[in-house]
Amino acid sequence: MRRRSTAGGGQVKARRRKAVTVKRRNAPKSARRRSSSAAGQEAEVARLARELNEALEQQRATSEVLGAISRSKFELQPILQSVVNAAARLCRADGAVIFRLEGGVHRFAAGYSLDPAYLEIERRTAIPPGPGTVVGRAAMSRQVARIDDAWTDLFYEKKEDAKIGGARSMIGVPLMRDGAPIGVIGLARTRVDPFAEREIELVTTFADQAVIAIENVRLFDAVQQRTQELTESLEQQTATSEVLQTISSSPGELEPVFATMLEKAVGICDAKFGNIYRWDGEALHLAATHNAPPAYAEERRRSPHYRPSLKIGVGRMVATKKAVHVVDAAAEPAYLEKDPAYVTAVELGGVRTYLTVPMLKENELIGAFTVFRQEVRPFTDRQISLVQNFAAQAVIAIENARLVNELRQRTTDLTERTANLTEALEQQTATSDVLNVISRSSFRLQPVLDTIVQTASRLCDAEFALIFQLKDERYHLAAANNATAAFVQHAANNPIAPGRGSLTGRTALERQTIHLPDCLADPEYNYFDYQRSGQYRSMLGVPLLRDGAAIGVIVLMSPVVKPFTQKQIELVTTFADQAVIAIENVRLFEAEQQRTAELTESLEQQTATSEVLKVISSSPGDLEPVFATMLENGVRICDAKFGGIYRIEGDTIRLVATHADVPAAYAGARRFAPFRPSPKHYFGRMMAAGTVLHVVDTAAEQGYVERRPEYVAAVELGGVRTFMAVPMVKENEPIGAFLLAKQEVRPFTEKQIALVTSFAVQAVIAI
């Protein structure tokens, strides 16, 4: 036995005392022996009671932290505060902190201290990895750092801070994720009293729980960010589609086009109002406005054109032909010098932050697209890009209007120009239709691809059109229009690898448009089985490119030698870009759905673990509710039909708890328990190996083929097909097993096996 000294907190040896025998003449020897034995038993009972109380207190603290994780979900601060509070309480520490890694240094995240001044020092301190602090030392070594006395430690650099808070004995435990430290839990005592191994193990458990909470919040933030980006992207695509619809439905009319553009730009960019100006080479003329303050709008109507100076953002835009972003108009020199136009904008329009984007045609300024805010709040890069896109579409609308007006004036080339305009409008309508399908279909890819091949085939005068999509390093048929059933079947059964022998393979290999006026005259083309099945001659292939990689190919085919025109090639290239957008939207959505599913599964398992720990802590010594909770959660989360917990008693196994919906399975399990498992029995195999036994199909096991009773009962009475048995091990010796079963052949996942393994460990703790 060792005892702690009252001065330094270290361990000192207990002094041996010479036994003194007191002679008692009248007491019988048997009575003296009984008295000594009773005292020893009372001491042992007291020791066991202390250990039980400590274990229950640790379980309650762990349950509290897991409960905080479950309740707070994605709010990190209350979880970290719960961790430091529990760690300080259970480890008899006078202070506890959590530091998180940010920008190469560790910064204060949560803390508990009896000394507010010392805690304030910790809040202001940024700690790099290194031996000079307990946090830096744990982060640098990636393992537990122990400082018996900070005041005398040779490498400890913060002795003055430690003396302010009275910190002496310290430990630092790193928060590890994927082998790298992302933070540190630090504990300190105001006395020289080194932390015991049991306390260090407990803090390590809290560190693991803190890492789980941090990772949950990180994953949630990433999903939220992805969702926000996807929402913004869809909103912008929808707005673009509506503008294109207006352009296509109002040829030659700029007023409804400009009105739609300004309404969408102001709404999506969270601006107050917006203007579109036309440039005549000398002055700007107000062409359209949306939601402008009445006094400002009236002033602009009285002075519809002006010549901006270089001191004004619009003037700088005219001079540079580049977008100008003014964060605070009231701080601009033009306002301070009382430029009339600027004073009108600031004082009548309430303009503070504004963005003006040039409308360029062949690098010549033809106007400006401007949006305004009435507070100082800069526009984001996405919003600037959106306004630039609207400005480009405004140029298209202006150009369309110019073409229409010229067509009305020039009757000599009316037919040719009308045909060109019809083609341009048809292409815009087709583009709008595709964008509408993308917007309506949300995250369903097939309607988008079907619309693209139908529209491309019709507008490019092709007999039929196909889209191939990359999967497993080959290009598989994803959509087809007007192709024969035999050709579609042949293409579906024969995915194409990158290579020069086929149009699809060559397009994917070179990652650029490939045009074969006559495939039979091409010296490298050798996919004659495809050609015979489809009976085509002229071919056009356009790659679907994402980050420079070909993720698919659009193919147009004609049964006669009829080369495609440059306009048709450009149109198909546009369709290829839209197909990439649709595929990327679906990919991002599916990735986010997967992340969300994984996060939900993780939270469900954590909640189940928390419930089990709560039952353990609330029912000390009572195994029945603990086992019932474990089995109920295990069966539900692992999608099993029923389960059982077995105890090993000598050389036999006995069923001690069940959770089952099938009476026959329950009766079958009861019939053969307790029993002595042979080496061929699945329990015998599990105990011999000491690892999880995962049987995918019990009916295919040798024991069932040999008609051994336990296998026959499981399959024919309980309907058991897939099951897993997880050993319950104490000090490397099996003491029981946790079993789950399904009534169909469907293997358990790795996460489900890990969860049941965790329940098996908790069952051992409960026992």
Side-chain angles (χ1 to χ4, degrees), residues 89-162:
R89 184 178 76 250
L90 292 181
C91 296
R92 299 177 296 109
D94 301 303
V97 293
I98 291 181
F99 276 70
R100 291 184 62 192
L101 183 64
E102 297 178 4
V105 297
H106 291 78
R107 300 185 185 279
F108 180 88
Y112 163 82
S113 177
L114 298 177
D115 188 338
Y118 185 65
L119 197 60
E120 185 60 32
I121 293 174
E122 295 285 62
R123 285 194 178 95
R124 298 195 305 266
T125 303
I127 302 176
T133 63
V134 71
V135 171
R137 197 176 299 182
M140 179 184 69
S141 65
R142 302 186 179 188
Q143 59 186 5
V144 176
R146 304 177 62 167
I147 296 177
D148 291 345
D149 188 354
W151 294 9
T152 61
D153 188 273
L154 294 177
F155 299 102
Y156 194 80
E157 299 174 352
K158 301 287 186 179
K159 291 183 173 62
E160 294 303 319
D161 292 346

Side-chain angles (χ1 to χ4, degrees), residues 420-498:
N420 290 339
L421 180 60
T422 301
E423 182 181 1
L425 290 175
E426 187 177 23
Q427 292 179 7
Q428 289 179 2
T429 303
T431 302
S432 176
D433 290 343
V434 172
L435 290 174
N436 274 333
V437 173
I438 292 176
S439 176
R440 290 195 305 271
S441 301
S442 297
F443 306 109
R444 294 187 296 118
L445 183 59
Q446 196 59 46
V448 179
L449 300 184
D450 290 341
T451 301
I452 287 175
V453 293
Q454 293 167 9
T455 307
S457 180
R458 173 172 55 84
L459 294 182
C460 296
D461 195 23
E463 182 69 17
F464 51 92
L466 313 170
I467 291 181
F468 291 87
Q469 194 172 351
L470 180 63
K471 294 179 183 177
D472 302 326
E473 301 182 355
R474 288 180 177 268
Y475 291 86
H476 297 253
L477 184 65
N481 177 63
N482 207 34
T484 64
F487 179 76
V488 171
Q489 186 63 39
H490 180 80
N493 294 337
N494 296 276
I496 301 172

Side-chain angles (χ1 to χ4, degrees), residues 30 44 57 102 145 153 198 249 251 255 294 390 419 451 456-457 486 751:
S30 60
E44 179 65 13
E57 187 176 7
E102 297 178 4
D153 188 273
R198 181 188 61 79
S249 61
E255 183 177 350
F390 280 135
T451 301
S457 180
K751 286 191 175 181

Side-chain angles (χ1 to χ4, degrees), residues 146-221:
R146 304 177 62 167
I147 296 177
D148 291 345
D149 188 354
W151 294 9
T152 61
D153 188 273
L154 294 177
F155 299 102
Y156 194 80
E157 299 174 352
K158 301 287 186 179
K159 291 183 173 62
E160 294 303 319
D161 292 346
K163 290 180 179 179
I164 291 176
R168 303 294 295 268
S169 293
M170 300 177 176
I171 57 169
V173 178
L175 311 182
M176 304 295 293
R177 184 182 72 211
D178 297 334
I182 62 172
V184 174
I185 293 182
L187 272 69
R189 288 172 174 158
T190 58
R191 60 194 181 279
V192 178
D193 184 6
F195 290 85
E197 289 298 330
R198 181 188 61 79
E199 294 168 328
I200 293 174
E201 291 174 359
L202 180 60
V203 178
T204 303
T205 300
F206 285 134
D208 293 339
Q209 293 167 344
V211 170
I212 291 172
I214 293 170
E215 183 67 5
N216 284 348
V217 172
R218 185 187 68 80
L219 289 174
F220 178 75
D221 291 343

Side-chain angles (χ1 to χ4, degrees), residues 355-431:
L355 170 68
T356 179
V357 175
M359 293 156 50
L360 300 175
K361 176 191 172 186
E362 297 177 354
N363 205 36
E364 291 297 324
L365 183 70
I366 65 171
F369 199 117
T370 307
V371 291
F372 305 90
R373 284 176 174 161
Q374 292 183 324
E375 71 277 359
V376 177
R377 181 162 54 91
F379 293 93
T380 67
D381 290 341
R382 281 179 174 267
Q383 293 167 340
I384 294 173
S385 176
L386 176 67
V387 175
Q388 289 173 328
N389 183 43
F390 280 135
Q393 291 172 349
V395 173
I396 294 173
I398 292 170
E399 181 65 7
N400 285 343
R402 185 186 67 80
L403 289 173
V404 171
N405 292 330
E406 286 184 359
L407 286 171
R408 291 169 180 169
Q409 296 173 6
R410 299 179 183 180
T411 57
T412 56
D413 57 351
L414 179 61
T415 303
E416 180 183 355
R417 289 184 177 274
T418 302
N420 290 339
L421 180 60
T422 301
E423 182 181 1
L425 290 175
E426 187 177 23
Q427 292 179 7
Q428 289 179 2
T429 303
T431 302

